[in-house]
Every structure is written in C-alpha cells, then in structure tokens.
Amino acid sequence: MIAPSSSAADLIAHLQTLRSQENIAGMGRFGIVTDTALGIPTPQMRRIARLAKRHHARATELWQSGIREARILALYTTEPKLLTVGEARSWAAGFNSWEIVDAAADLFVKARLEQELVPAFAVDEREFVRRTAFAMIASAAVHLKQEPDETILAWLPLIEFHAKDPRNFVKKAVNWALRNIGKRNLACHEQALALARRLAEESDRTARWIGKDAVRELETAEVLERIAARTKM
C-alpha cells in the first residue's frame, strides 16, 4: 500500500511490481530512454505520486536510484520550496531523456529557480541540459501568470541566439518556448510573432524551421481567438 510514510525503498519495490516489458518496447518508439525503465505509464505514475505525497529527502533517494520511474516519482514528489539550485544542477547533470527534462522544467519553475537556471542551462553544451532551459521558458510562459510580461519577453533574445542549434531535442524546445510566449497574451504574441517571422527568413535551416512552425501556430484562428478572449477579460 502506497502512503505518505512509504520509504524510497518501499516505493521502488512497488514500482518494480508494475514492470511491463510491452510498455518498455512502446516507450522506445517515442524516443524515451528505456535502459532503466519499468514501463509504467505517466497517468499511473501520477496516481502513485498523489498517494505518496511530497517528501523532499525521499525524493532525493528516489532520484539517486537511477530508475526511470523512480526519477519521475522524485520530480513529482519533491517539495519545490526546498529544492536548491545546487540540487537542480546535480539532477540536470543526469538528464538523458526529453520526458525527464520536461517534468523537471515544470518543477524548477515551481521552485522559482528559472532566473538563475535558464541562462546557465542555455549556455551549457549538453543537449538535454540546454533543452531544460527552453522547456523552463515554455513552462514559465504558461504557469507564471502573475509574472510581468517583461520577464517572459526578456527570454526572446536567448531564443533567437540558440535558434540555430540543430540538435533535435534543443530545436524542438526552442520552438516550444517561442510558441508558448506567443500564446501568453496579446503583447507577448506580437513580439513572439515578430521574432518567429524573422527566424522564418533566416538562411539557417534550423532557425527557419523554428520560425515557420511558430508562425504557423501563432497565426491560427484558434490562437488568435484565445488571445482576443484573454484581452477582453
């Protein structure tokens, strides 16, 4: 039985009972690193996290196990207010999968570490660490609703600078960050769309793809209607 009092060892033992070789094979087809995976789907992981509740020290133990699902559970159950920059950097050093990065990015934003980590991770040459920077921007644009637009828009030059990184997991995150900024509200939409249009005219293939894809979404009727509705609120 999973409970808030469950230890890291208890949780790992429970996760091991849920191992699915069929699911592991399926995950590989989505670019998920499965070397240490047990094949437990995300909805089930979220249910386990809700039962286990948050526990920072236990989350650290779960992360240190190296098991995919234990690490995901660590991200779901750590306490954002207790997470330090040093811990975030240490965890990021072990990132090897887009799904871990994207879950961690949400956590790091909840912990309000984005101002220190985004610029630091963006200049890091490791693919998944750099992806984390832009996944954090994408998350912040959506979740930090009370943050001034200027704070979010200040990341546009960083997006433009790294838009020529051709690595798959970086370019997709840069694109994601640009699109999410553009969907935040009217002011952000105007500036993000302007950048997207500039990138769409770049000679660099990666920057051009990022720009054209962002323009395509930011000019859809659905996005424009949603932004207009927010402006009226």
Side-chain angles (χ1 to χ4, degrees):
M1 176 68 72
I2 300 300
S5 60
S6 298
S7 67
D10 291 336
L11 292 173
I12 291 172
H14 178 70
L15 294 174
Q16 295 282 5
T17 68
L18 302 175
R19 180 185 177 89
S20 168
Q21 194 60 44
E22 181 180 358
N23 286 349
I24 292 173
M27 288 173 176
R29 292 193 289 272
F30 289 95
I32 295 173
V33 176
T34 58
D35 293 352
T36 64
L38 301 175
I40 306 172
T42 298
Q44 192 168 5
M45 290 299 306
R46 292 191 183 281
R47 287 195 293 271
I48 293 170
R50 285 195 293 270
L51 292 172
K53 306 297 183 185
R54 294 191 181 277
H55 190 299
H56 192 70
R58 185 186 64 196
T60 301
E61 292 183 58
L62 289 168
W63 184 267
Q64 291 171 346
S65 73
I67 300 168
R68 169 195 176 267
E69 283 75 7
R71 286 192 161 186
I72 290 174
L73 194 57
L75 296 171
Y76 288 170
T77 62
T78 197
E79 297 173 74
K81 291 182 180 180
L82 298 182
L83 186 69
T84 67
V85 169
E87 287 172 324
R89 287 177 178 271
S90 176
W91 288 13
F95 290 168
N96 66 349
S97 177
W98 63 265
E99 60 159 358
I100 294 288
V101 166
D102 296 356
D106 284 341
L107 170 63
F108 295 166
V109 169
K110 286 179 183 176
R112 297 310 310 266
L113 302 179
E114 72 281 350
Q115 289 301 321
E116 186 162 352
L117 293 182
V118 165
F121 286 172
V123 298
D124 196 298
E125 290 297 330
R126 291 171 291 184
E127 182 173 8
F128 288 105
V129 177
R130 182 169 290 173
R131 179 185 174 89
T132 308
F134 295 97
M136 288 178 69
I137 293 174
S139 179
V142 173
H143 297 297
L144 300 186
K145 299 184 187 301
Q146 302 306 313
E147 197 69 22
D149 289 342
E150 290 74 15
T151 301
I152 306 299
L153 292 169
W155 285 318
L156 287 178
L158 200 62
I159 289 172
E160 185 168 17
F161 185 82
H162 289 286
K164 295 180 181 179
D165 189 326
R167 292 175 294 179
N168 185 53
F169 293 110
V170 175
K171 74 176 184 179
K172 287 186 175 180
V174 173
N175 171 264
W176 182 22
L178 180 57
R179 288 185 290 110
N180 274 14
I181 291 176
K183 292 184 287 186
R184 181 177 170 90
N185 56 38
L186 183 59
C188 290
H189 180 269
E190 290 175 350
Q191 294 197 40
L193 182 57
L195 173 55
R197 286 172 173 163
R198 289 202 305 275
L199 293 176
E201 298 300 321
E202 281 276 358
S203 59
D204 180 84
R205 182 178 179 180
T206 301
R208 193 165 62 249
W209 174 83
I210 289 171
K212 285 184 176 181
D213 187 76
V215 168
R216 188 179 302 113
E217 179 171 3
L218 295 178
E219 289 187 336
T220 61
E222 181 183 358
V223 168
L224 295 173
E225 288 170 6
R226 191 184 310 146
I227 290 172
R230 288 174 184 166
T231 303
K232 293 176 183 178
M233 292 175 64

